[in-house]
Amino acid sequence: MAEEAQEIPKENDTDVQDTQESPKADVEAEKEAGQVPVAEITNQNQSDETDGPKEKEDGKGGEDETDNTAPEFAAQGDGGEDEPNDPKEEPVKESDKETEDQTIPKTVAEGEETEGTSQVAAAQGQAAEENPSEDVKPEDEEKAEPTEEQGDAQETVRDEDFTDGKVEGPEDAQHTSETPAKEERPRSSSTRGSKRLSPQPDAQPDAEGGTPRQSPPPGAGETSRTPPPPEEGNVGYPAQPPPTQADVEVIPDAPRLPSRERTDTSLEGTMSSSALNMVWSFGLNRSVPVLNLTDGVRKVIMYPCAHVGVLYDFHNNKQHILQGHANPITCTCVSEDKRWLVTGDKGSDSMVIIWDTYTGIPIQTLFDPNPEGGVVAVALTPDARYLATLSASETQILSIWDWTIDGETPVCTAELNPKYGIQNYIFFNPDDIHFLVTNSESQVIFFQWEERRMEYYAPPLTDQDFNKPVGRYSQSIFQASNTRALTGTSLGNLVVWDNNQVLTKVVTSEQTANKKALKIIKLQDRGINVLTITDRYIVVGDIAGHVKFFDQSLKLIYWYQDFGLGPVNALCFSFVPEFTPIAAENTKYPPDATIAAKKFVIRDFVVGSSIAIFGNITADGTKVEVIHREHDASIHALAAHPTHPYLAIGSYSGLLKIWNYEQKDVMVSRVFDRGSHIRCCTYDPSGGLLAVGFTNGCVRVLDAITLQEEMEEPFRYARDAVTHIAFSHDSQYLATADAEYTVTVYKKESMDTSTPYTYMGRHRAHYKPIRDIMFGVQLDSTAPRLLSLGEDRVMVEYDLENSSRDNIRLSSTDRIEQSAVPLCMAWYPPITKEHFIVTADDQYKFKLYNTTTKMCRKTLLGPTYGTPVTKITVIPTKDEVKDKRYLAYTTEDKVGMSILPLTGNPHNSMALVAHPSGVANLTCSGDGRYLFTAGGADAAVHMWEVNINALEAQAQLGGEELIPFYGLLDGGRDGDLFAELEDYFYYAQIRSQSVNTMETRQVSIRIPLSEVPFVMRAMGFYPSEQEIEDMLNEVKFSKYVETGQYVSDIDLGDFIKLYVNHRPAFGLSPEKILWAFDTLGIPTDQGPAVERGELLEILQSKGEHMTEYELAEYLTTLMGFNPEGGKCELQNFDATAAGDLIDQNLPYTVTGEMFSKEILGFSMYDGNSTQPS
């Protein structure tokens, strides 16, 4: 009440730091909130572990009564003045009955009495009567004359008639959903003190004699509370019995992270059982709000980074990585005591995971809770017993989970109409967890739920309802101790919602989900991004970076405006079990905005911004500590220093940072001009220079330590994005590739000039995007050589020695692929006598090419983890000749390693999900201990520790020699395919010695190379002539370097390896035939078709050319008019009647399905497949 005193707060013993303070002299300019007188002001009810002392209206603290009235938001008297109520007639609330003395070291459960408790309560009541609060008096509502905007806001909230302009909810605004009963459970009462369930083994009997249930323990020093009795007529809300002594559970104190029980995740940590272990994550997901897990024992925040969660101890600069999701994390929430953390994602194999933040261990997992795509929002009740999830599907589903009991079936669900938009925020009513609110940008929905039943209301609101624009909704909360809810909007408005009492104006304190828009309050001009509550305050964060605190009557108490962190998109307060809102001696809390200028004492909090900056705010002294200042745009540029533990990271935001990845500190950073999006970067071999390429075609050469320009002006020769950049081994040349398919070369000048490099020339040797460029060393000298690889399947080598300014010459141009598209290349390490270039293509193959002749010398099966290899790098080692070598690679979303030499053995490779949204770059530390992957759009870089022993152990478990390759055959060593292969092998020996010979046959374990193509085709692999030539050359020259002789035959074991490595990784694909006919044909009733004459012409002239004689022989044989095998088996082919046979039996128009089934003899579809139209 206006005249009633607030309780005198107790002293706070929390630690404090110093900062910059927001001056209260700017009250008139910044105080934008409307002031709303109220009948009484009470503290928001908090659970025992979070509350400071409760406010009382009188000194009586022992009456067992429940406060069923709520302070009125509107003015109660004429003229908008406060109308005080008699304090003696005000019932005492149950929560107020439990007021705690902060000087008493032990919390007392209800019904127990500790010596001195009643005296302290009486003293507090007396002090409250003798010291009325100044900030609730009408004359103290402002410290200066209100501005015009503030005056309008005051008139708005003081409007006496709240029925004017009310929006009546239509009949179809109510929706009810019932869930089939799985088991009977008692329903929690409408309090924050509803019984907590723990995932620990201790179980308690059900209130109705049902099955025992586990319960998350209360916070440290917390006691269980009995909920107030239900109101009369509140059917279906049974009260729970008072707790017994066994119900009182105390959890251990939270250890610091990383905890003593867990091995340190720093560089000195032990290896994991995986070949790659994520040890650090650079960057963050700025679209998911940061969570503050600080609780007095630890200073920790939690934020997602791609598909992992990061528990970051910003006091000790340590990370604990939470790995478990296969998709980027989309939403998080944490319990009030900061112990239970929930993370959710969306996509295939989505899940919701509940973690224990004290240990970093997952406690419960909800696998694919919404099969249509995961979740977009999660929320825990204040007691952490229930979890709410919002699905990411078009038709959203709100589910309530009793997660400590059942992780498979929700308690109740509700399906939402897609017209409400994508609901992306959930908030439980802290006074009654059976009410919650969600909102999208266009619709707010209120829910009421109980066991197996949920109903919700979607009250409409348009700009015409109150004759003012509403804006886009951001977040919603319930107001403490009354029936109202508030929603912030992008126009700085607060929408006030209250019970929809259509036929009466009688004020009731009974909570209901049936609400309507009561008022729109112009709180400020700037858009509201964050709306939350802490203790007795309503907190607002806006796009200007301001944080404002209001009391329950929306009177501005304090605001911060000088953080400099950017637009606020997250506010999260620390957990202080015994927090008291009173300033202790020698503290520097700022004064609030009331005339009394009392110390403004709040919990410390963390601010997150939409520009990827996190800050920790210490209220004592208003100290701002920047925790992270990260990239807020895609990261593609990544480079590791060749000799020092430095990592360069650049993004499209123009930010370039140099990290010491061992110390986890930023050494230096630089922000380039607006529009300078960093696309690539690299160190020179000495580590003294850093070359940076930008999306606007600009190239800069910087000092690697200071990031200052080494050149007076940057190079601006490219007209499109610079995609690749590289130095030669002696730093004499710098080359770039751009999005115009052009390679640009720069040459080093003499040391006495101020310009380290000068422009040499440009050459466009590709007609499709360039996938990779690299420098090498000539075999007979130390001169550098430059190569480029494009999607046009061409490898180009440049003649640097004979090139001059504006005249870049080519040394060779080789088409290295027939159908596959090469994606990357690297120099194969000197582990063989022959020198190779290794490439990876989009058909899951590694290929080795002779560095001089560019002949394909070996084809090997690559990793088959969903997508082809997109980038490869050989991991450095101290002795490049003697040490065993390993290859690091990335696919579209994974990072992995392979043992060298490459053999096609699948057990020699491994991979892990690195960035579900796509891996943009890969680099390796100079000592080979770490890999770094950049995620592109997820603005994250992961650091992976290399564990060679784990990879070698995996390879040993896969078997030796031919055992891994037998596993790649259908049925394995004992299968039908292997038995057929043995028969084909012996038949090939018969063929090679002539089928009709009468001489004694020589049976051996080898067959001539000439028989290899026929056995391959008999096995179901149909290689092209180029592929046959590559296979034969691979075997023929396999020992030439060692012995100087050709190999003319092959045994069964080598043939199996050859077959496994050369055949298509996933077999024949009918879709390719359909795609070809769809591209070349014309639409018909049977599908795309090609005319017979055009088909015959294409087969002769396109791809590998066939003569008319060969085409006639092959077609008539496939159509069954020649003996099986044709002339290569038994007889010569007679071509005289072939033309007539083709003309009579081949239809005039040929579809893809007809060509596959009737000519090639392939079955396009199984019986369950649906054929395309």
Side-chain angles (χ1 to χ4, degrees), residues 661-711:
Y661 56 78
E662 287 188 349
Q663 301 297 327
K664 309 299 188 304
D665 291 329
V666 177
M667 299 176 56
V668 63
S669 64
R670 177 180 174 182
V671 179
F672 291 91
D673 297 337
R674 187 179 183 88
S676 297
H677 301 166
I678 302 174
R679 182 62 177 80
C680 56
C681 65
T682 187
Y683 283 97
D684 78 323
S686 66
L689 298 176
L690 180 66
V692 183
F694 296 82
T695 57
N696 58 7
C698 173
V699 176
R700 297 176 185 267
V701 181
L702 311 176
D703 182 271
I705 301 299
T706 64
L707 299 185
Q708 298 301 313
E709 301 281 353
E710 288 288 322
M711 318 209 21

Coordinates of all heavy atoms in Angstrom, one line a residue, residues 661-711:
Y661 N 46.4 -20.1 -28.8 CA 45.5 -21.2 -28.5 C 45.9 -22.1 -27.4 O 45.2 -22.9 -27.0 CB 45.2 -22.0 -29.8 CG 46.4 -22.6 -30.5 CD1 47.1 -23.7 -30.0 CD2 46.9 -22.0 -31.7 CE1 48.2 -24.2 -30.6 CE2 48.0 -22.5 -32.3 CZ 48.6 -23.7 -31.8 OH 49.7 -24.2 -32.4
E662 N 47.1 -21.9 -26.9 CA 47.5 -22.6 -25.7 C 47.1 -21.9 -24.4 O 46.6 -22.5 -23.5 CB 49.0 -22.8 -25.7 CG 49.5 -23.9 -26.7 CD 51.0 -24.2 -26.5 OE1 51.7 -23.5 -25.8 OE2 51.4 -25.2 -27.1
Q663 N 47.3 -20.5 -24.4 CA 46.9 -19.7 -23.3 C 45.4 -19.3 -23.3 O 44.9 -18.8 -22.4 CB 47.7 -18.5 -23.2 CG 49.2 -18.8 -23.0 CD 49.6 -19.5 -21.8 OE1 48.9 -19.3 -20.8 NE2 50.6 -20.4 -21.9
K664 N 44.8 -19.5 -24.5 CA 43.4 -19.1 -24.7 C 43.2 -17.6 -24.5 O 42.2 -17.2 -23.9 CB 42.4 -19.9 -23.8 CG 42.6 -21.4 -23.8 CD 42.4 -22.0 -25.1 CE 42.4 -23.5 -25.1 NZ 43.6 -24.1 -24.6
D665 N 44.1 -16.8 -25.0 CA 44.0 -15.4 -24.8 C 44.1 -14.8 -26.2 O 44.8 -15.3 -27.1 CB 45.2 -14.8 -24.0 CG 45.1 -15.2 -22.5 OD1 43.9 -15.4 -22.1 OD2 46.1 -15.4 -21.9
V666 N 43.4 -13.6 -26.4 CA 43.5 -12.8 -27.6 C 44.7 -12.0 -27.5 O 44.9 -11.1 -26.6 CB 42.3 -12.0 -27.8 CG1 42.4 -11.1 -29.1 CG2 41.0 -12.9 -27.9
M667 N 45.6 -12.2 -28.5 CA 46.9 -11.4 -28.5 C 46.7 -10.0 -29.1 O 47.1 -9.0 -28.6 CB 48.0 -12.1 -29.3 CG 48.3 -13.5 -28.7 SD 49.5 -14.3 -29.7 CE 50.8 -13.1 -29.8
V668 N 46.0 -10.0 -30.2 CA 45.7 -8.7 -30.9 C 44.5 -8.9 -31.8 O 44.2 -10.0 -32.3 CB 47.0 -8.3 -31.7 CG1 47.3 -9.3 -32.9 CG2 46.8 -6.8 -32.3
S669 N 43.8 -7.8 -32.1 CA 42.7 -7.9 -33.0 C 42.6 -6.6 -33.7 O 43.1 -5.5 -33.3 CB 41.4 -8.1 -32.2 OG 41.1 -7.1 -31.3
R670 N 41.9 -6.7 -34.9 CA 41.7 -5.5 -35.7 C 40.4 -5.6 -36.4 O 40.0 -6.6 -36.9 CB 42.8 -5.3 -36.7 CG 42.7 -4.1 -37.7 CD 43.8 -4.0 -38.6 NE 43.5 -3.0 -39.6 CZ 44.4 -2.7 -40.6 NH1 45.5 -3.4 -40.8 NH2 44.1 -1.7 -41.5
V671 N 39.6 -4.5 -36.4 CA 38.4 -4.4 -37.2 C 38.6 -3.5 -38.4 O 39.0 -2.4 -38.3 CB 37.3 -3.8 -36.3 CG1 36.0 -3.7 -37.1 CG2 37.1 -4.6 -35.0
F672 N 38.4 -4.1 -39.6 CA 38.6 -3.4 -40.8 C 37.3 -2.5 -41.1 O 36.3 -2.6 -40.5 CB 38.9 -4.4 -41.9 CG 40.2 -5.0 -41.8 CD1 40.3 -6.3 -41.1 CD2 41.3 -4.5 -42.3 CE1 41.5 -6.9 -41.0 CE2 42.6 -5.1 -42.2 CZ 42.7 -6.3 -41.5
D673 N 37.5 -1.7 -42.1 CA 36.4 -0.8 -42.5 C 35.2 -1.5 -42.9 O 35.2 -2.7 -43.2 CB 36.9 0.1 -43.7 CG 38.1 0.9 -43.4 OD1 38.3 1.2 -42.2 OD2 38.8 1.3 -44.3
R674 N 34.1 -0.8 -42.7 CA 32.8 -1.4 -43.1 C 32.7 -1.9 -44.5 O 33.2 -1.2 -45.4 CB 31.7 -0.3 -42.9 CG 30.3 -0.8 -43.0 CD 29.3 0.3 -42.8 NE 27.9 -0.1 -42.8 CZ 27.2 -0.6 -41.7 NH1 27.9 -0.6 -40.6 NH2 26.0 -1.0 -41.8
G675 N 32.2 -3.1 -44.7 CA 32.2 -3.7 -46.0 C 33.4 -4.6 -46.3 O 33.4 -5.2 -47.3
S676 N 34.4 -4.6 -45.4 CA 35.6 -5.4 -45.6 C 35.3 -6.7 -45.0 O 35.6 -6.9 -43.8 CB 36.8 -4.7 -45.1 OG 37.1 -3.5 -45.7
H677 N 34.8 -7.7 -45.7 CA 34.5 -9.0 -45.2 C 35.6 -9.9 -45.5 O 36.0 -10.1 -46.6 CB 33.2 -9.5 -45.9 CG 32.0 -8.7 -45.7 ND1 30.8 -8.9 -46.4 CD2 31.7 -7.7 -44.8 CE1 29.9 -8.0 -46.0 NE2 30.5 -7.2 -45.1
I678 N 36.2 -10.4 -44.4 CA 37.4 -11.3 -44.5 C 37.0 -12.7 -45.0 O 36.2 -13.3 -44.4 CB 38.1 -11.4 -43.2 CG1 38.5 -10.0 -42.7 CG2 39.4 -12.2 -43.3 CD1 39.1 -10.0 -41.3
R679 N 37.6 -13.1 -46.1 CA 37.3 -14.4 -46.7 C 38.3 -15.4 -46.5 O 38.0 -16.6 -46.4 CB 37.0 -14.2 -48.2 CG 36.6 -15.4 -49.0 CD 35.3 -16.0 -48.5 NE 34.9 -17.1 -49.3 CZ 35.3 -18.4 -49.1 NH1 36.2 -18.6 -48.2 NH2 34.9 -19.4 -49.8
C680 N 39.6 -15.1 -46.5 CA 40.7 -16.0 -46.3 C 41.9 -15.3 -45.8 O 42.1 -14.1 -45.9 CB 41.0 -16.8 -47.7 SG 41.4 -15.6 -49.0
C681 N 42.8 -16.1 -45.2 CA 44.1 -15.6 -44.7 C 45.1 -16.7 -44.6 O 44.7 -17.9 -44.6 CB 43.9 -14.9 -43.4 SG 43.4 -15.9 -42.0
T682 N 46.4 -16.3 -44.6 CA 47.4 -17.3 -44.4 C 48.7 -16.6 -43.9 O 48.9 -15.4 -44.2 CB 47.7 -18.0 -45.8 OG1 48.7 -19.1 -45.6 CG2 48.3 -17.0 -46.8
Y683 N 49.5 -17.4 -43.2 CA 50.8 -16.9 -42.7 C 51.9 -17.3 -43.8 O 51.7 -18.3 -44.5 CB 51.2 -17.6 -41.4 CG 50.6 -17.0 -40.2 CD1 49.4 -17.6 -39.7 CD2 51.1 -15.9 -39.6 CE1 48.8 -17.1 -38.5 CE2 50.4 -15.3 -38.4 CZ 49.3 -16.0 -37.9 OH 48.7 -15.5 -36.8
D684 N 52.9 -16.4 -43.9 CA 54.0 -16.8 -44.7 C 54.9 -17.9 -44.0 O 54.7 -18.0 -42.8 CB 54.8 -15.6 -45.2 CG 55.8 -15.1 -44.1 OD1 55.3 -15.2 -42.9 OD2 56.9 -14.7 -44.4
P685 N 55.7 -18.6 -44.6 CA 56.5 -19.7 -44.0 C 57.3 -19.3 -42.8 O 57.5 -20.0 -41.8 CB 57.3 -20.3 -45.1 CG 56.6 -20.0 -46.3 CD 56.0 -18.7 -46.1
S686 N 57.8 -18.1 -42.8 CA 58.6 -17.6 -41.6 C 57.7 -17.1 -40.5 O 58.1 -17.0 -39.3 CB 59.5 -16.4 -42.1 OG 58.7 -15.3 -42.4
G687 N 56.4 -16.9 -40.7 CA 55.5 -16.4 -39.7 C 55.5 -14.9 -39.4 O 54.9 -14.4 -38.5
G688 N 56.2 -14.2 -40.2 CA 56.3 -12.7 -40.0 C 55.2 -11.9 -40.7 O 54.9 -10.8 -40.3
L689 N 54.6 -12.5 -41.7 CA 53.6 -11.8 -42.5 C 52.3 -12.5 -42.4 O 52.3 -13.8 -42.4 CB 54.0 -11.5 -43.9 CG 55.2 -10.7 -44.1 CD1 55.6 -10.6 -45.6 CD2 55.1 -9.3 -43.6
L690 N 51.2 -11.8 -42.5 CA 49.8 -12.4 -42.6 C 49.1 -11.8 -43.8 O 48.9 -10.6 -43.8 CB 49.1 -12.2 -41.4 CG 47.6 -12.8 -41.3 CD1 47.7 -14.3 -41.3 CD2 46.9 -12.3 -40.1
A691 N 48.8 -12.6 -44.8 CA 48.1 -12.1 -46.0 C 46.6 -12.4 -45.8 O 46.2 -13.5 -45.4 CB 48.6 -12.8 -47.3
V692 N 45.8 -11.4 -46.1 CA 44.4 -11.5 -45.9 C 43.6 -11.1 -47.2 O 43.9 -10.1 -47.8 CB 43.9 -10.5 -44.8 CG1 42.4 -10.7 -44.5 CG2 44.7 -10.8 -43.5
G693 N 42.7 -12.0 -47.6 CA 41.8 -11.7 -48.8 C 40.4 -11.4 -48.3 O 39.9 -12.0 -47.4
F694 N 39.8 -10.5 -49.1 CA 38.5 -10.0 -48.7 C 37.5 -10.3 -49.8 O 37.8 -10.6 -51.0 CB 38.5 -8.5 -48.5 CG 39.3 -8.1 -47.3 CD1 40.7 -7.9 -47.4 CD2 38.8 -7.8 -46.1 CE1 41.5 -7.6 -46.3 CE2 39.5 -7.4 -45.0 CZ 40.9 -7.3 -45.1
T695 N 36.2 -10.2 -49.5 CA 35.2 -10.5 -50.5 C 35.0 -9.5 -51.5 O 34.4 -9.7 -52.6 CB 33.8 -10.7 -49.8 OG1 33.5 -9.5 -49.0 CG2 33.8 -11.9 -48.8
N696 N 35.6 -8.3 -51.3 CA 35.5 -7.2 -52.3 C 36.7 -7.3 -53.3 O 36.9 -6.4 -54.1 CB 35.4 -5.9 -51.7 CG 36.6 -5.6 -50.7 OD1 37.6 -6.4 -50.7 ND2 36.5 -4.5 -50.0
G697 N 37.5 -8.3 -53.2 CA 38.7 -8.5 -54.1 C 39.9 -7.9 -53.6 O 41.0 -8.0 -54.2
C698 N 39.9 -7.3 -52.4 CA 41.1 -6.6 -51.9 C 42.0 -7.7 -51.2 O 41.5 -8.6 -50.6 CB 40.6 -5.6 -50.9 SG 42.0 -4.8 -49.9
V699 N 43.3 -7.4 -51.3 CA 44.3 -8.3 -50.6 C 45.2 -7.4 -49.8 O 45.8 -6.4 -50.4 CB 45.1 -9.1 -51.7 CG1 46.2 -9.9 -51.0 CG2 44.2 -10.0 -52.4
R700 N 45.4 -7.7 -48.6 CA 46.2 -6.9 -47.7 C 47.3 -7.8 -47.1 O 47.1 -9.0 -46.8 CB 45.4 -6.3 -46.5 CG 44.4 -5.3 -46.9 CD 43.6 -4.8 -45.7 NE 42.5 -4.0 -46.1 CZ 42.5 -2.7 -46.1 NH1 43.7 -2.0 -45.8 NH2 41.5 -1.9 -46.5
V701 N 48.5 -7.2 -47.0 CA 49.7 -7.9 -46.4 C 49.9 -7.2 -45.0 O 50.3 -6.0 -45.0 CB 50.9 -7.9 -47.3 CG1 52.0 -8.7 -46.6 CG2 50.6 -8.6 -48.6
L702 N 49.8 -7.9 -43.9 CA 49.9 -7.3 -42.6 C 51.1 -7.9 -41.8 O 51.5 -9.0 -42.1 CB 48.6 -7.6 -41.8 CG 47.3 -7.3 -42.5 CD1 46.1 -7.7 -41.6 CD2 47.2 -5.8 -42.8
D703 N 51.5 -7.1 -40.9 CA 52.5 -7.6 -39.9 C 51.8 -8.6 -39.0 O 50.7 -8.4 -38.5 CB 53.1 -6.5 -39.1 CG 54.1 -7.0 -38.1 OD1 53.7 -7.3 -36.9 OD2 55.3 -7.0 -38.4
A704 N 52.4 -9.8 -38.8 CA 51.7 -10.9 -38.1 C 51.5 -10.6 -36.6 O 50.7 -11.3 -36.0 CB 52.5 -12.2 -38.3
I705 N 52.3 -9.7 -36.1 CA 52.2 -9.4 -34.6 C 51.3 -8.2 -34.4 O 50.4 -8.3 -33.5 CB 53.6 -9.2 -34.0 CG1 54.5 -10.4 -34.3 CG2 53.5 -8.8 -32.6 CD1 54.0 -11.6 -33.6
T706 N 51.4 -7.2 -35.1 CA 50.7 -5.9 -34.8 C 49.4 -5.8 -35.7 O 48.6 -5.0 -35.4 CB 51.6 -4.7 -35.0 OG1 52.0 -4.6 -36.4 CG2 52.8 -4.8 -34.2
L707 N 49.4 -6.6 -36.8 CA 48.3 -6.5 -37.8 C 48.2 -5.1 -38.5 O 47.2 -4.7 -39.0 CB 46.9 -6.8 -37.1 CG 46.7 -8.2 -36.5 CD1 45.3 -8.3 -36.0 CD2 47.1 -9.2 -37.5
Q708 N 49.4 -4.4 -38.5 CA 49.5 -3.2 -39.2 C 49.9 -3.5 -40.7 O 50.5 -4.5 -41.0 CB 50.5 -2.3 -38.6 CG 50.1 -1.9 -37.1 CD 48.8 -1.1 -37.1 OE1 48.6 -0.2 -37.8 NE2 48.0 -1.6 -36.1
E709 N 49.5 -2.5 -41.5 CA 49.7 -2.7 -43.0 C 51.2 -2.7 -43.3 O 52.0 -1.8 -42.8 CB 49.1 -1.5 -43.7 CG 47.6 -1.5 -43.5 CD 46.8 -2.5 -44.4 OE1 47.4 -3.2 -45.2 OE2 45.6 -2.6 -44.2
E710 N 51.6 -3.6 -44.1 CA 53.0 -3.6 -44.6 C 53.1 -2.9 -45.9 O 54.2 -2.7 -46.4 CB 53.5 -5.1 -44.8 CG 53.7 -5.8 -43.5 CD 55.0 -5.3 -42.8 OE1 56.0 -5.1 -43.5 OE2 54.9 -5.2 -41.5
M711 N 52.0 -2.6 -46.5 CA 52.0 -1.9 -47.8 C 51.2 -0.6 -47.7 O 50.3 -0.5 -46.9 CB 51.3 -2.8 -48.9 CG 51.8 -4.2 -48.8 SD 51.8 -5.2 -50.2 CE 51.9 -4.1 -51.6

